[in-house]
Amino acid sequence: VKQQRLTEEQLAINSTLEMSRDLISETERNLAEVDALAQNVTEYHAEVDGASQKLTEKTERLSQANRNLVQKADDHALELERQANELEE
């Protein structure tokens, strides 16, 4: 009776060990997937940050160009007004 009970307990322990190994293997696979996802997200964020920086720089250049264009238009309008005044005289 003792021998049979020990054998049954050993079988139960072996079954538990096998389930534990399976769970550990599955957990390791899931962890590898999470690590890969984290790496992809990190790379994506780096790309977005780079694109954002380039967009900011381009916006600043366009803003400066717009200021220059407005200044040139103002200067031209003043010159046209001056010329119109000369014609009136």
Side-chain angles (χ1 to χ4, degrees), residues 46-81:
E47 289 176 18
V48 168
D49 286 344
S52 176
Q53 179 64 29
K54 287 178 184 177
L55 183 59
T56 299
E57 291 169 2
K58 190 170 189 173
T59 301
E60 288 172 2
R61 284 194 307 271
L62 287 172
S63 178
Q64 182 61 40
N66 284 344
R67 273 186 238 125
N68 291 339
L69 188 59
V70 167
Q71 183 61 49
K72 286 180 182 179
D74 265 352
D75 293 346
H76 187 65
L78 288 173
E79 178 61 22
L80 289 175
E81 185 178 0

